[in-house]
Amino acid sequence: MATELFHSSVVELSDKLAKKEVSAVELAQMYLDRIDANKDLNAFLDVRPEVTLAQARAADEKIAVGQAGRLTGVPIAHKDIFVTKQWASTAASKMLEGYMSPFDATVVKNLDNAGMVCLGKLNCDEFAMGGSNENSAYGRVLNPWDKNSVPGGSSGGSAAAVAASLAPIATGTDTGGSIRQPAAFTGITGLKPTYGRPSRWGMIAFASSLDTAGLMARSAEDCAFVFNDMIEFDPKDSTCVNLPKEDFTRHLNAGVKGKKIGVPRAWFAEGLDSELAASIDEVIKTYERMGAQIVDIELPTVKMGVPVYYVVACAEASSNLSRFDGVRYGHRAAKYTDIQDMMRKSRSEGFGPEPQRRIMIGTYVLSHGYYDAYYIQAQRVRRLIANEFNSVFQDVDAIISPVATGTAYNFGEKSDPVSAYLSDLYTVPVSLAGLPGMGLPCGIHSNGRPMGFQLICPSFHEADLLGMAHAYQLETDWHKKVPMGY
Ligand code: GLN
């Protein structure tokens, strides 16, 4: 159970800073020391204590003169998909090794403006492609619950850092599950917002119609507080929706009485681990006890999610990654004969196997003669999936489902792409429909690894989603469990 200062939630740290029980510099130093002592997890790719401590000193000055906001001095770490001026931005790829961005991503800038202190950049799958963090060009991240198992991905560094209390909260990105699944694999809480709510400006692009910035923390409450300052309409991202400012904490204490929660039983595929299935049944019972009404729903088209996702995501990736040609962006080969050879060598050296595979798939599905059969067809089915969710949401306020078929798996267990891709069955349909979803802890498996469930809401209903998640966390204490030794 969480008991030490470094186990504190964002809300607790914010209170302690306001009461001057601890300074921002002390907090930053404490986490920097923990990051240093737990380097074996390989969660961080770039740590610059002098930059972090300078931010912390500035936060302390604001606190001293009474100019602090709620988050001033609270530490955070950023997934290395967000570009940052003061830390290298690599997307965990050799292609961008040592790259220093001339600007900060909007999400980073917003949290910086709120006074949060950045602890460094977090490891992830290369260009956020993967679900195990085994695809990072800088080595895999270990799951602090069991170092033989993956932390999930692609935001595996974010997940491991929060689970091991190397940071109280971290940013992540979710294109097809990369926040929800690593949260479930490490017993923490992950929020994937509605597509179009957070700004994508300064997020290194994987699949632009799916990429969504979000948060990974101990609790839904912490996600809500930080989300408030992460979100602001950004004219620099043409898909960012201009909505009135809202307080995402406003439904935290609303409870779930009278809420209708849909359970798509048929989607709980045969491959679902039986202990995980039982723990999700417990979640459903808990919501029922709290006053929610549980209704059976059907989502027959979601089973098309995985093939549709891998056509659309790879198509967009092949286009997005074309900018890394050794001229406009990225690594350039040392020796070459002509420009063709230079680009071929630069891209072969810079990209790891997974981005290369996806560029090939994407180029294929977009090529003349296959475009209609694959890409256009996938877009059609994507629309059907979105319509299906939208029609179910006429009747229910939220949907409960698994996040993955089991707990974190062992390194190497899903090294063939097909089994890796198939394991995304519960997360990618939600992404294709652009919906907000969370991964939330709901138990510890007999194998010692955390179990999680997914809560999904209609588009732009994050405040409701966070409220329903918080209601569960008031009833249970799975989110308070920490891995032994951390
Ligand atoms: N596992 C999925 C993939 O490999 C999701 C990745 C993500 O959300 N960034 O594409």
Side-chain angles (χ1 to χ4, degrees):
M1 242 348 135
T3 47
E4 307 274 352
L5 180 61
F6 52 76
H7 291 141
S8 304
S9 67
V10 167
V11 173
E12 286 162 348
L13 292 178
S14 153
D15 288 344
K16 287 191 167 83
L17 283 161
K19 290 190 195 133
K20 303 204 171 65
E21 287 171 21
V22 66
S23 72
V25 167
E26 283 163 348
L27 281 184
Q29 192 61 59
M30 173 182 78
Y31 286 111
L32 288 170
D33 290 345
R34 288 186 62 75
I35 292 166
D36 194 51
N38 292 287
K39 276 193 181 137
D40 65 318
L41 294 176
N42 201 26
F44 279 80
L45 291 179
D46 196 14
V47 182
R48 304 187 181 204
E50 63 298 349
V51 184
T52 299
L53 291 170
Q55 289 192 350
R57 277 193 296 275
D60 279 332
E61 278 160 28
K62 281 208 173 135
I63 296 169
V65 297
Q67 283 176 358
R70 272 204 73 112
L71 296 176
T72 306
V74 176
I76 187 163
H78 295 300
K79 182 177 182 180
D80 201 11
I81 287 290
F82 295 95
V83 299
T84 43
K85 271 199 296 210
Q86 299 188 91
W87 288 266
S89 304
T90 69
S93 179
K94 291 282 178 216
M95 189 51 104
L96 284 168
E97 186 154 20
Y99 173 67
M100 294 302 289
S101 165
F103 65 95
D104 280 326
T106 298
V107 160
V108 170
K109 189 185 76 181
N110 289 349
L111 296 171
D112 189 56
N113 288 345
M116 295 195 89
V117 173
C118 175
L119 295 167
K121 299 296 286 293
L122 293 157
N123 204 347
C124 55
D125 283 303
E126 188 174 354
F127 287 101
M129 296 173 180
S132 69
N133 228 117
E134 289 165 294
N135 296 339
S136 166
Y138 303 100
R140 63 199 193 179
V141 176
L142 307 186
N143 187 331
W145 288 88
D146 181 340
K147 291 181 182 169
N148 297 314
S149 70
V150 303
S154 64
S155 312
S158 310
V162 172
S165 299
L166 313 184
I169 186 160
T171 52
T173 63
D174 191 312
T175 301
S178 282
I179 287 177
R180 291 160 285 158
Q181 183 255 31
F185 280 11
T186 57
I188 64 164
T189 301
L191 168 68
K192 176 236 179 263
T194 311
Y195 176 81
R197 170 88 81 178
S199 168
R200 284 186 297 112
W201 177 258
M203 259 169 70
I204 297 169
F206 160 16
S208 304
S209 77
L210 296 155
D211 295 345
T212 311
L215 292 165
M216 305 176 76
R218 290 210 178 290
S219 65
E221 187 183 32
D222 281 0
C223 288
F225 273 97
V226 177
F227 197 53
N228 269 350
D229 286 308
M230 190 179 117
I231 298 307
E232 198 175 74
F233 170 63
D234 184 2
K236 295 206 280 301
D237 170 4
S238 62
T239 56
C240 189
V241 183
N242 194 356
L243 294 165
K245 193 94 186 143
E246 49 177 293
D247 176 7
F248 295 101
T249 67
R250 70 186 188 278
H251 294 324
L252 284 184
N253 293 311
V256 295
K257 268 211 181 64
K259 293 273 186 209
K260 276 170 117 181
I261 301 182
V263 179
R265 289 271 169 207
W267 196 21
F268 292 26
E270 278 169 32
L272 187 61
D273 174 273
S274 61
E275 261 184 73
L276 177 56
S279 95
I280 294 174
D281 278 337
E282 271 311 308
V283 171
I284 295 165
K285 283 190 199 129
T286 306
Y287 273 108
E288 209 163 18
R289 263 203 312 279
M290 293 189 290
Q293 187 193 337
I294 305 297
V295 291
D296 284 330
I297 56 164
E298 274 175 51
L299 292 166
T301 315
V302 292
K303 63 174 184 296
M304 302 305 293
V306 170
V308 169
Y309 170 83
Y310 279 95
V311 169
V312 172
C314 292
E316 294 182 19
S318 74
S319 162
N320 275 324
L321 298 189
S322 66
R323 74 190 64 170
F324 299 100
D325 55 8
V327 180
R328 291 170 298 169
Y329 289 93
H331 165 81
R332 180 182 292 189
K335 285 202 192 97
Y336 46 86
T337 50
D338 55 20
I339 187 162
Q340 293 288 343
D341 189 48
M342 186 279 284
M343 288 187 182
R344 192 180 311 115
K345 283 204 178 111
S346 301
R347 286 168 68 80
S348 305
E349 291 168 10
F351 290 128
E354 190 58 30
Q356 289 194 20
R357 180 177 297 121
R358 296 191 189 204
I359 290 168
M360 305 276 272
I361 299 172
T363 306
Y364 180 81
V365 300
L366 289 176
S367 58
H368 183 74
Y370 296 104
Y371 181 80
D372 290 328
Y374 293 103
Y375 183 70
I376 295 293
Q377 190 64 5
Q379 294 289 25
R380 289 197 182 108
V381 183
R382 178 181 191 175
R383 171 53 53 202
L384 293 179
I385 292 173
N387 288 349
E388 194 166 278
F389 274 111
N390 291 340
S391 85
V392 164
F393 280 129
Q394 301 297 310
D395 300 320
V396 300
D397 301 291
I399 297 170
I400 286 178
S401 87
V403 176
T405 52
T407 60
Y409 47 86
N410 290 343
F411 287 108
E413 208 178 306
K414 296 201 174 174
S415 47
D416 71 292
V418 174
S419 65
Y421 297 175
L422 285 175
S423 63
D424 293 331
L425 79 164
Y426 296 117
T427 49
V428 294
V430 178
S431 301
L432 289 166
L435 302 169
M438 294 186 76
L440 297 155
C442 62
I444 305 288
H445 195 274
S446 60
N447 66 14
R449 300 172 190 177
M451 297 188 283
F453 73 101
Q454 179 170 224
L455 194 61
I456 308 157
C457 272
S459 287
F460 301 107
H461 284 229
E462 284 91 344
D464 264 342
L465 173 65
L466 289 158
M468 284 187 256
H470 182 62
Y472 176 78
Q473 294 187 330
L474 286 173
E475 280 296 302
T476 57
D477 58 11
W478 298 115
H479 62 294
K480 293 189 181 141
K481 303 263 186 245
V482 294
M484 196 139 54
Y486 295 95

